[in-house]
Amino acid sequence: MMGSEIKRAPRSEEKKYEGVVAFDLDGTLLRGIRHSWSLLWKAVGCSREEAIKCQKAFVAGEIDYKQWVRHDFESLRDNGLTLDKINDAIKATGCSLTKNMKPAIKMLKDNGYVTAVISGGVDAVLKHFIPDPEKYFDELFINRLVWDDQNNLIDIIATDYDWDPGKKGVLGKCGGLKEICRKYKVPLEKSVFVGNDENDFMAMRVAGRKVYFSAQGIETAKTVEGVKIEQKNDLLAVAEYIIGKN
């Protein structure tokens, strides 16, 4: 029609984020265990001897990460691992969410931060405590167990983002942090990595800010330049530090 004008919907503005905050799982978001894989072996009543052999082979470069994970998965499946057994093993350990985890994550999200988990742990352990982790975390980079309708273990989807990129078959935790920053268009210097172990150090070193969340291993953690050491078992203190409240 002459003289008419096509009306176009206004382009929605792209959401801008204050930064990305990525957390390790075992010993950081969860307390009372160092490695969630150990809970799986406990659940089927097996020693970790074979798993330790595979870990050493991985560290030596003899196998890649996915071969290591696949070997452990097959052993756990063949020993009858079920979701119920995992939940029973977790209850027996006294493992728990870190103090104020949920309000800390909510505070970060309310202040415009992307939140993520980057871990070599297992999603079933996280979901024992948080059945809906997507409500708290925008991204979950973690090993994922696959179950049938009877909660029997049938497969595993290995993460690409564990250890460091010098190891075979992984892009490393630092690779995961970079990937999340790219996805949400956040400069790497506005990222934070929160961890508690030496295999978190490489991700900490590439992050804009780094938080070592443990009362152990402090002298080793000090080798990470600019690291903030938080010894309290309270994630709210970490969230307040990130958003500038302390």
Side-chain angles (χ1 to χ4, degrees):
M1 183 184 296
M2 290 184 63
S4 66
E5 203 173 71
I6 300 174
K7 293 186 178 180
R8 301 184 186 277
R11 183 181 294 175
S12 60
E13 289 189 10
E14 203 170 69
K15 185 171 181 179
K16 290 185 171 56
Y17 297 94
E18 287 297 317
V20 168
V21 185
F23 296 87
D24 172 51
L25 177 62
D26 304 333
T28 302
L29 297 176
L30 300 179
R31 288 296 169 98
I33 55 165
R34 185 172 181 186
H35 302 297
S36 54
W37 280 92
S38 64
L39 284 169
L40 307 190
W41 293 106
K42 182 180 179 64
V44 294
C46 291
S47 75
R48 296 181 60 239
E49 186 175 342
E50 282 300 315
I52 291 170
K53 285 181 183 177
C54 276
Q55 179 180 344
K56 288 179 178 178
F58 166 71
V59 171
E62 297 166 5
I63 59 174
D64 67 24
Y65 185 83
K66 289 177 176 57
Q67 287 173 307
W68 174 24
V69 169
R70 178 60 51 176
H71 174 276
D72 282 7
F73 153 73
E74 290 174 353
S75 295
L76 290 163
R77 179 200 60 197
D78 294 347
N79 279 282
L81 184 68
T82 65
L83 194 53
D84 289 340
K85 288 180 180 178
I86 291 176
N87 291 333
D88 288 343
I90 291 171
K91 291 173 185 175
T93 65
C95 173
S96 64
L97 283 177
T98 299
K99 183 180 178 182
N100 285 324
M101 195 225 79
K102 290 182 178 180
I105 301 304
K106 184 178 185 302
M107 178 183 287
L108 291 169
K109 291 178 75 67
D110 287 349
N111 281 273
Y113 286 88
V114 176
T115 56
V117 175
I118 305 178
S119 171
V122 184
D123 67 338
V125 178
L126 175 61
K127 288 180 178 180
H128 173 88
F129 297 99
I130 309 176
D132 52 350
E134 296 82 5
K135 177 180 175 182
Y136 296 90
F137 301 102
D138 300 290
E139 299 291 336
L140 292 168
F141 287 4
I142 192 170
N143 292 299
R144 298 173 185 264
L145 299 180
V146 182
W147 309 92
D148 67 13
D149 293 339
Q150 286 74 47
N151 286 332
N152 298 304
L153 183 61
I154 58 172
D155 204 356
I156 189 166
I157 302 169
T159 182
D160 291 320
Y161 305 107
D162 190 15
W163 289 72
D164 65 67
K167 299 292 189 295
K168 290 174 67 173
V170 288
L171 300 172
K173 292 189 178 187
C174 58
L177 183 63
K178 290 175 181 178
E179 178 62 30
I180 295 167
C181 286
R182 280 194 294 268
K183 179 175 178 178
Y184 292 89
K185 296 181 171 56
V186 172
L188 194 57
E189 58 266 25
K190 294 185 73 176
S191 69
V192 186
F193 194 92
V194 184
N196 74 308
D197 213 337
E198 289 185 43
N199 74 334
D200 298 319
F201 286 178
M202 188 166 285
M204 288 182 185
R205 288 189 174 104
V206 302
R209 286 188 285 170
K210 50 280 290 172
V211 180
Y212 184 76
F213 186 60
S214 178
Q216 286 83 43
I218 292 172
E219 290 306 312
T220 305
K222 287 178 181 177
T223 63
V224 180
E225 186 178 353
V227 69
K228 160 76 171 174
I229 294 174
E230 179 56 67
Q231 298 180 60
K232 297 176 184 176
N233 179 30
D234 190 342
L235 269 181
L236 209 52
V238 173
E240 289 173 346
Y241 161 71
I242 291 169
I243 66 174
K245 280 194 172 184
N246 67 20

